[in-house]
Amino acid sequence: MEKLMKTNRRDFLKVAATATGGLFIGFYWSGCDSPKMQVLTDEEVLSQAFNFNAYLSISPTGDIVIYSPNPELGQNIITSFPMIVAEELDADWAKVRVFQAPLDNEKYDRQLTGGSGAMPHSWERLRKAGATAKFLLVQAAATKLGVDASELTTSNGEVLHNGKKKFGYGELVSDASKLTAPDEVPLKDSKDFKIIGTPVKNVKNNEMFTGKPLFGLDFYREGMVHAMIQRPPFGMKIKSVDDTGARSVPGVTDVIVFKNNVAVVGNSTWPLMKAKRQLRIEYEPDGPIESSFDHDRIFKELLDSKNAQVMRKDGDVDAAFKNAAQVITSEYQCPFLSHSPMEPQNFFAHVKGDKVELVGPTQTPERARMETAQLLGIPKENITVEITRLGGGFGRRLRADFVVEAAELSKLLDKPVKVTWSREDDMTGGAYRPAVRYRFQAALDDQGNMVGYKLRGVGINAGNSTRENNFPSGSVDNLLIENIDYKSPITTNAWRAPITNFLAYAEQSFLDEVALAAKKDPVKFRLDLLARAKNNPVGEIHYDIDRMKGVIETVAEKSNWGKSKELMQGFSVYFSHRSYVAQVADIIMENGQPVLKKITAATDCGVVVHPTGANHQVRGGIVDGMGHAMFTNMTFENGLPKQRNFDSYRLIRMKEVPEIDVHYVDSGYDPTGLGEPALPPTGGAIANAIFAATGKRIRTQPFIEQKEFSEIRLQIRRA
């Protein structure tokens, strides 16, 4: 008889990594030669450690404890931040121990993850934290030796005198901790970096691979109850609730109607999922909603309306178009998208009188605390927030709705509560990437020069659906950019690379259309516009022309742009979140069909702190951008998404990822963010390559649902 083995989801991950290698090895999760990081479990070491600043403590044992303040959601900040501190400290990386810091606004500034801003914001602060501690350690050693501090050097966790007498950092911490730190300390020259720029392993690899409870879904507290919530369709409110069937499910202890929600409460999530299906809730409209979901009609009406907000205007646009030798007009549209992180929303809350304990995955712990304080009417200082590792976020966890739900239920029940969303909850009750439609127009003179440019964006709860100061603004004499924001009951939220995630695709595809009409090479066309912006700028320039030019020229060189008769290539470049990324997609024809073979990317994100993590971010951004441009859609009916789970919400698959070739441009700048910038250019590069190969221009996402795409039957080959 065959022996059966019981496994859990973490065992599956470990088995999958060993058996297939695809998920882990394909993304080089362990591919580096740095010392293995072990997780510190010795509480005695921690209790003996001397604090030098908010980020750094050193134990007499020589162990170095570094606290990472920003939430970790896969961007590898929990490794990159400590690398910066350890670099300036000249630490022995094998002795570095890393912990996630809880929310503490007195110790840390901007303790959030979003907008690819953590690294540029914290770069100098982290360097100073390490350099200050090193300065004090050196001073302590100088006193012991009776020499001037200038005679001492540091290396690998030691202070040395003439390369002979030396002290380990652990021997110096007691004396060093009593010294007063100066306001300013010298920082290293980048040429002397030994840790920054090396492929250090993720500090949490061991814990992840061995299934330690790191994520919010793993969190458990003795005595807590579980809750799951049925939320209303968008634009609807509860009319009546019959909870008889739900209460009869074994394991359900209570059903609570609060605000416009119905919560089922019990001892585990499985009976709650069954109980939710037994709820009989009748809804009624909460105001007029029938027309709110007819998005095609909304887009058509607003694109032609005269009530747009002017975001930027340069020159005499009307005259430029009136006198143009040629006018090109195109419209591009994208759907709503779910953030769909692998870990659905969840949070733990324990309200104890006028104090609250919050634990869970949040990108904005301070927002979680503030909204909880506002809900309960208590001082925010009475609320603690412990940040678990996030199983993805992509902007969804910038909100605090799931945190407030947990706090409110804990208050109502007078018990510690963990609220968990199912995948269907996440899809149907979430906040989405806004649906947007753009109308572009370009005016060409008889020499093929772009003398006029118009963009009108219409977004559904998108706020400003344009980035009016991004390229090509500043390079065109006559330019008009307008925005219209339509208010809908559908909640929207920042989605990875907000607005630019689709705007870049639309802009870069349209610029290829203009280059074609002007009979110019797409890369040269953009370089000529940049030269125009540099030599004779129109209005203010809000992007770095030389950095954008640098990635364009690099990707053209690395991809052999235009040098192969067999390759049909598509180009795209974009500036977002302070960084610049250019991409080229390669398509070849096999048996009369187009095959996407490769995407080459050139990135200027300033100093690359952690090359392994940076490669993950660029590759992940490209895969994310490609998958959502080609496959993913969310449509609504009667206030609910039709797509409720991954059986109908189509995501990209591993076999659909082509070869990705990543390069970096060293522009000499400090780090400028990398969690989002690689995503925006991807769709445009692929769409432009498809046009080069087939003559089919795809202007609406997802590609897979468009007639033009179905006719060409694009295939993808992995190297």
Side-chain angles (χ1 to χ4, degrees), residues 228-236 261 276 283 293 336-341 344-345 396 399 401 405 421-432 489-492 634-649:
M228 301 188 79
I229 299 170
Q230 182 62 55
R231 300 164 188 87
F234 293 107
M236 305 293 279
N261 303 310
K276 273 183 63 184
Y283 294 101
F293 307 113
F336 288 96
L337 291 180
S338 170
H339 297 77
S340 54
Q345 315 314 319
R396 178 61 182 90
R399 295 169 66 94
D401 51 329
E405 288 176 345
W421 294 39
S422 67
R423 176 60 57 196
E424 286 78 8
D425 292 335
D426 199 73
M427 291 277 190
T428 59
Y432 308 101
I490 299 173
T491 53
T492 60
M634 178 158 280
T635 56
F636 290 81
E637 185 175 46
N638 298 323
L640 284 174
K642 294 181 182 179
Q643 298 77 18
R644 300 172 61 87
N645 210 317
F646 291 138
D647 58 340
S648 54
Y649 189 73

Side-chain angles (χ1 to χ4, degrees), residues 110 113-121 497 576-579 672-677:
R110 196 188 182 276
T113 294
S116 298
M119 186 61 73
H121 178 269
S576 68
H577 300 89
R578 309 173 186 86
S579 294
T672 53
L674 196 54
E676 293 159 290

Side-chain angles (χ1 to χ4, degrees), residues 79-99:
T79 300
S80 300
F81 270 18
M83 287 175 68
I84 300 168
V85 177
E87 178 66 73
E88 291 291 349
L89 181 63
D90 275 334
D92 177 358
W93 182 252
K95 286 182 170 289
V96 170
R97 310 293 182 246
V98 180
F99 292 89

Side-chain angles (χ1 to χ4, degrees), residues 164-180:
K164 298 177 182 178
K165 181 65 177 177
K166 60 185 178 181
F167 293 104
Y169 284 174
E171 301 174 74
L172 300 168
V173 291
S174 179
D175 292 339
S177 66
K178 300 170 186 175
L179 301 177
T180 301

Side-chain angles (χ1 to χ4, degrees), residues 351-356 369-370 372-383 411:
V351 179
K352 298 168 282 187
D354 65 347
K355 298 186 184 301
V356 183
R369 179 166 72 170
M370 290 295 291
T372 300
Q374 183 178 7
L375 169 76
L376 301 177
I378 61 176
K380 69 173 188 177
E381 293 76 16
N382 290 6
I383 301 173
K411 175 73 171 179

Side-chain angles (χ1 to χ4, degrees), residues 92-337:
D92 177 358
W93 182 252
K95 286 182 170 289
V96 170
R97 310 293 182 246
V98 180
F99 292 89
Q100 175 70 60
L103 175 64
D104 191 330
N105 283 342
E106 292 186 6
K107 288 184 177 181
Y108 307 108
D109 187 37
R110 196 188 182 276
Q111 199 173 355
L112 61 89
T113 294
S116 298
M119 186 61 73
H121 178 269
S122 300
W123 168 250
E124 187 172 336
R125 290 172 172 81
L126 294 166
R127 295 184 71 186
K128 286 182 176 179
T132 300
K134 181 175 70 175
F135 180 92
L136 297 176
L137 291 164
V138 169
Q139 292 294 324
T143 301
K144 277 182 176 287
L145 292 169
V147 301
D148 191 88
S150 62
E151 299 180 31
L152 304 180
T153 59
T154 55
S155 177
N156 212 34
E158 295 178 326
V159 180
L160 299 91
H161 182 238
N162 295 328
K164 298 177 182 178
K165 181 65 177 177
K166 60 185 178 181
F167 293 104
Y169 284 174
E171 301 174 74
L172 300 168
V173 291
S174 179
D175 292 339
S177 66
K178 300 170 186 175
L179 301 177
T180 301
D183 293 333
E184 297 293 332
V185 290
L187 301 178
K188 281 186 177 182
D189 190 294
S190 60
K191 65 180 177 58
D192 297 323
F193 288 163
K194 294 182 177 66
I195 297 175
I196 290 174
T198 63
V200 172
K201 290 178 181 174
N202 188 309
V203 298
K204 295 298 180 182
N205 273 357
N206 184 64
E207 291 172 88
M208 288 190 288
F209 293 166
T210 56
K212 296 295 189 297
L214 301 176
F215 298 89
L217 283 177
D218 297 323
F219 181 81
Y220 175 78
R221 175 68 55 76
E222 189 69 33
M224 76 178 190
V225 295
H226 291 267
M228 301 188 79
I229 299 170
Q230 182 62 55
R231 300 164 188 87
F234 293 107
M236 305 293 279
K237 61 182 180 180
I238 293 174
K239 184 177 181 180
S240 64
V241 177
D242 180 355
D243 60 12
T244 306
R247 288 182 179 276
S248 68
V249 175
V252 172
T253 59
D254 206 349
V255 177
I256 297 175
V257 179
F258 69 108
K259 293 183 177 173
N260 208 22
N261 303 310
V262 182
V264 287
V265 182
N267 51 29
S268 66
T269 55
W270 178 239
L272 302 186
M273 294 177 72
K274 292 191 289 184
K276 273 183 63 184
R277 298 190 185 98
Q278 300 300 317
L279 290 170
R280 298 294 176 259
I281 307 173
E282 186 179 356
Y283 294 101
E284 60 185 357
D286 188 13
I289 67 162
E290 290 303 318
S291 64
S292 298
F293 307 113
D294 186 0
H295 300 129
D296 288 337
R297 178 192 61 78
I298 292 167
F299 286 137
K300 184 177 185 305
E301 290 180 359
L302 293 181
L303 280 173
D304 293 328
S305 84
K306 300 187 182 298
N307 297 320
Q309 179 184 6
V310 175
M311 307 305 296
R312 176 165 175 159
K313 185 175 183 181
D314 297 327
D316 190 338
V317 178
D318 291 340
F321 277 84
K322 180 179 179 181
N323 299 321
Q326 187 178 0
V327 173
I328 302 96
T329 301
S330 288
E331 294 184 10
Y332 287 78
Q333 183 171 322
C334 71
F336 288 96
L337 291 180

Side-chain angles (χ1 to χ4, degrees), residues 419-662:
V419 169
T420 303
W421 294 39
S422 67
R423 176 60 57 196
E424 286 78 8
D425 292 335
D426 199 73
M427 291 277 190
T428 59
Y432 308 101
R433 193 275 298 272
V436 181
R437 189 172 180 93
Y438 295 112
R439 176 180 291 165
F440 294 91
Q441 292 180 285
L444 299 180
D445 64 15
D446 55 9
Q447 301 295 312
N449 300 310
M450 188 164 68
V451 295
Y453 181 88
K454 290 189 205 176
L455 165 61
R456 172 172 285 200
V458 176
I460 311 289
N461 288 344
N464 179 13
S465 61
T466 73
R467 291 294 180 264
E468 63 274 7
N469 293 318
N470 278 11
F471 178 79
S473 294
S475 68
V476 186
D477 288 332
N478 308 287
L479 175 141
L480 176 64
I481 297 181
E482 300 173 304
N483 177 67
I484 299 174
D485 186 36
Y486 178 82
K487 299 302 181 184
S488 164
I490 299 173
T491 53
T492 60
N493 197 49
W495 190 95
R496 191 177 188 180
I499 301 302
T500 61
N501 56 62
F502 177 69
L503 178 59
Y505 158 75
E507 284 181 347
Q508 292 297 305
S509 296
F510 179 68
L511 286 177
D512 257 38
E513 292 193 61
V514 180
L516 179 66
K519 299 180 180 179
K520 296 182 179 181
D521 174 80
V523 170
K524 187 177 186 306
F525 180 71
R526 290 165 174 83
L527 288 174
D528 287 346
L529 286 173
L530 286 173
R532 169 73 169 82
K534 187 175 182 69
N535 298 326
N536 192 14
V538 182
E540 295 183 355
I541 303 291
H542 291 256
Y543 49 91
D544 190 308
I545 295 169
D546 292 331
R547 293 180 73 188
M548 182 172 281
K549 180 182 177 184
V551 294
I552 292 175
E553 292 177 340
T554 299
V555 82
E557 175 193 349
K558 298 299 183 181
S559 66
N560 293 315
W561 173 263
K563 294 181 179 179
S564 171
K565 294 183 179 179
E566 295 181 356
L567 286 180
M568 302 292 107
Q569 295 180 303
F571 171 81
S572 180
V573 62
Y574 215 72
F575 155 64
S576 68
H577 300 89
R578 309 173 186 86
S579 294
Y580 299 78
V581 181
Q583 296 178 18
V584 171
D586 293 345
I587 287 179
I588 63 170
M589 300 300 292
E590 291 184 357
N591 301 318
Q593 288 185 283
V595 179
L596 178 63
K597 294 280 288 186
K598 182 179 180 180
I599 295 175
T600 304
T603 300
D604 181 351
C605 60
V607 173
V608 178
V609 174
H610 186 208
T612 307
N615 286 338
H616 292 167
Q617 289 302 300
V618 174
R619 294 171 188 274
I622 289 172
V623 172
D624 205 2
M626 175 182 174
H628 286 91
M630 295 184 68
F631 303 114
T632 313
N633 192 10
M634 178 158 280
T635 56
F636 290 81
E637 185 175 46
N638 298 323
L640 284 174
K642 294 181 182 179
Q643 298 77 18
R644 300 172 61 87
N645 210 317
F646 291 138
D647 58 340
S648 54
Y649 189 73
R650 171 79 155 84
L651 296 177
I652 192 170
R653 297 165 182 145
M654 288 294 293
K655 66 180 182 180
E656 293 166 336
V657 178
E659 178 186 354
I660 298 174
D661 187 20
V662 177

